[in-house]
Amino acid sequence: MALTPFVASAAEEAVTTFALDNGMQVVVVEDHRAPVVQHMLWYRAGSADEPKGSSGVAHFLEHLLFKATDKMEAGELSATVARNGGRDNAFTSYDYTAYFQRVAADRLELMMQMESDRMRNIRLTEDNIRTERDVIIEERNQRTENDPGALFGEQIAAAQYLNHRYGVPIIGWMHEMRTLDMQDALEFYQTYYSPNNAVLVVSGDVTPDEVRRLAEEYYGVIPSNPDLPERLRAEEPPQTAERRLIFRDARVAQPYVRRSYLAPERDAGAQERAAALTILSEILGGGTTSYLSEALQFDTQIATYTAAFYRGVSLDDTTFNLIVVPQPNVSLQEAEDAMDAAIASFLTEGVDAAQLERIKMQIRASEIYARDDVDRIANRYGQALTSGLTIEDVKAWPEILDAVTAEDIQQAARDLFDRRASVTGWLMREEMTQ
């Protein structure tokens, strides 16, 4: 069980990783400036790993893990964290589910004791199932059903992915959420909640030796799952047909155009394309000095808002999105035409050297500030390691971003903007005409 340091200089994060005998990966990021620690347990299991017909079960199980275990009463973990002056929560994404506590550094052992208990020892009742199923249904009602923009986004994703589970909402489809039961939850739990499918990330005022001792004591005694399935996903076929949709809702306050393109994710050992797309999203839609903002908000006054965003940390192919919110007197068709004209101009004109350098400076500054936040540090490593990346990839990412050239960005844009792999959506009020 050798410790492997990844420390290139004193200015960089002090990162150490090791594996327990049961296959659990542990990452320690030292920061001794404040007596605080973030303890995060990440499972390589998210909504895209759910069985067909059981959408929402990963998020449902996340809720259920705050119920009773062999050693704790329902709600005891969170109450204990709060009583010790800390905070805790959990979240589910397509590729992972994570549980965290942020506490004083001398409370780390208590966190491991409780978190390791619920890794294999939850005790559910039918009352738990009914109560939490109602909770997640109400959560969907509040966050999705009551938000036309969220419903619109679900339809965009469903149209973008022809075969992959990324087209299914993380929270689940309502009709399937209503049928989730004890068996669904326990099967997902027993399959994926094991040490050989988990990554423990501890960041803050700790030492690797201390974390290793505690991890061996509390997590190391939990048996691995010898039947853990290989993480196979349904692949997307070649996308050869542009898709379009219109989402109408009487509650829409601000109509807008959104386009989604299928895009490559950050790949282990080969992050260069993703780095170029990351910077492209900043150039096109990163604030009021971005290309789309200058072209559509200031030069032509077509739009009141523009944006571009790219979700690079993803196990499988991800998306690159553009949004244009038109002025009140501008139609959605005019807004879309202006967006397409701006993209065409960008592909012709190329990257402004001064803007590129400014964005790189902002990225460097962001990397430095991120080292001051144990939460962001732990999230960065946990997301990466549960999405197919390595510690070496995380460490190399700032330099790879800094090495991106204008031509790299132009090539990435030329490859990306293929309308055959896109979905264009209009969000509009019911009474609006096209």
Side-chain angles (χ1 to χ4, degrees):
M1 189 186 302
L3 296 178
T4 307
F6 292 89
V7 184
S9 71
E12 292 187 339
E13 293 162 348
V15 182
T16 304
T17 184
F18 56 92
L20 303 183
D21 291 340
N22 57 14
M24 183 173 180
Q25 184 177 6
V26 183
V27 178
V28 183
V29 188
E30 294 180 73
D31 184 349
H32 301 289
R33 289 176 291 179
V36 175
V37 66
Q38 180 104 337
H39 172 267
M40 298 196 77
L41 188 63
W42 298 72
Y43 292 98
R44 294 183 179 93
S47 67
D49 300 294
E50 297 166 341
K52 287 185 177 180
S54 298
S55 66
V57 70
H59 175 247
F60 184 39
L61 180 60
E62 174 213 311
H63 278 244
L64 291 170
L65 248 71
F66 290 87
K67 300 302 180 182
T69 71
D70 285 350
K71 299 178 181 178
M72 294 184 292
E73 297 297 326
E76 182 178 343
L77 187 149
S78 293
T80 302
V81 173
R83 191 165 59 248
N84 282 273
R87 65 181 182 88
D88 77 307
N89 213 326
F91 50 88
T92 305
S93 189
Y94 292 110
D95 298 316
Y96 51 77
T97 308
Y99 302 83
F100 72 89
Q101 303 87 35
R102 184 171 184 173
V103 292
D106 62 359
R107 300 295 190 272
L108 177 60
E109 181 172 5
L110 178 60
M111 300 304 108
M112 285 204 193
Q113 178 183 330
M114 294 190 296
E115 192 66 80
S116 62
D117 181 37
R118 66 176 175 178
M119 176 180 275
R120 295 306 292 172
N121 297 323
I122 61 168
R123 293 293 174 259
L124 301 178
T125 67
E126 289 297 340
D127 283 345
N128 295 154
I129 297 297
R130 283 192 295 270
T131 300
E132 289 308 311
R133 189 170 53 217
D134 288 344
V135 169
I136 62 170
I137 287 172
E138 180 58 25
E139 184 177 336
R140 181 177 169 90
N141 281 329
Q142 291 182 357
R143 297 185 179 182
T144 306
E145 302 294 339
N146 289 334
D147 182 350
L151 292 169
F152 177 51
E154 281 188 345
Q155 294 300 310
I156 292 275
Q160 179 71 83
Y161 289 98
L162 305 176
N163 196 41
H164 197 283
R165 293 285 292 181
Y166 288 166
V168 178
I170 294 168
I171 198 169
W173 297 117
M174 182 69 88
H175 68 286
E176 292 183 349
M177 294 169 66
R178 291 193 177 107
T179 69
L180 292 174
D181 58 19
M182 177 83 78
Q183 183 178 350
D184 294 323
L186 288 179
E187 285 183 355
F188 198 82
Y189 179 67
Q190 291 161 0
T191 299
Y192 294 110
Y193 278 52
S194 61
N196 53 324
N197 197 44
V199 180
L200 174 65
V201 183
V202 181
S203 59
D205 189 18
V206 293
T207 65
D209 288 340
E210 174 192 10
V211 174
R212 179 172 60 174
R213 176 182 64 80
L214 294 173
E216 287 176 340
E217 179 177 353
Y218 292 103
Y219 292 108
V221 297
I222 302 173
S224 63
N225 177 11
D227 299 318
L228 181 68
E230 187 177 354
R231 205 172 193 192
L232 297 176
R233 302 275 183 77
E235 294 185 12
E236 278 294 297
Q239 296 202 355
T240 58
E242 174 184 358
R243 280 135 285 161
R244 303 185 62 84
L245 61 89
I246 296 174
F247 190 90
R248 299 176 186 273
D249 194 303
R251 299 168 297 178
V252 171
Q254 177 60 70
Y256 61 86
V257 177
R258 175 173 169 180
R259 181 173 298 147
S260 171
Y261 291 90
L262 196 67
E265 78 282 7
R266 283 171 60 181
D267 289 323
Q271 302 182 89
E272 288 75 14
R273 284 191 308 170
L277 289 171
T278 298
I279 296 182
L280 175 65
S281 69
E282 289 297 314
I283 290 174
L284 291 180
T288 56
T289 60
S290 68
Y291 191 91
L292 289 179
S293 179
E294 291 284 351
L296 304 184
Q297 292 179 244
F298 299 110
D299 291 350
T300 61
Q301 297 187 347
I302 290 286
T304 61
Y305 173 78
T306 59
F309 51 97
Y310 167 65
R311 186 176 63 89
V313 180
S314 176
L315 189 62
D316 300 311
D317 280 348
T318 184
T319 56
F320 188 107
N321 283 260
L322 303 171
I323 289 179
V324 176
V325 179
Q327 294 276 5
N329 61 337
V330 175
S331 71
L332 293 176
Q333 185 63 64
E334 289 170 327
E336 182 183 338
D337 292 344
M339 178 181 72
D340 287 333
I343 292 172
S345 295
F346 173 78
L347 291 173
T348 300
E349 296 171 7
V351 177
D352 178 81
Q355 184 187 21
L356 176 57
E357 183 54 34
R358 183 170 63 250
I359 288 171
K360 287 185 176 182
M361 287 182 63
Q362 291 169 350
I363 291 172
R364 294 183 203 117
S366 176
E367 289 292 326
I368 292 171
Y369 291 137
R371 294 176 186 149
D372 294 332
D373 188 336
V374 294
D375 184 12
R376 289 177 63 186
I377 291 170
N379 271 279
R380 186 164 69 250
Y381 284 95
Q383 287 179 15
L385 294 171
T386 51
S387 302
L389 298 172
T390 66
I391 289 177
E392 294 94 327
D393 293 321
V394 178
K395 300 284 283 186
W397 182 241
E399 291 186 3
I400 292 174
L401 284 170
D402 204 46
V404 169
T405 66
E407 179 50 39
D408 293 334
I409 297 166
Q410 283 294 101
Q411 186 59 54
R414 287 191 290 268
D415 294 339
L416 172 70
F417 293 133
D418 181 352
R419 294 284 287 272
R420 295 171 299 176
S422 75
V423 180
T424 304
W426 289 5
L427 177 66
M428 58 198 303
R429 289 185 292 274
E430 286 182 341
E431 70 274 12
M432 291 179 65
T433 57
Q434 298 181 33

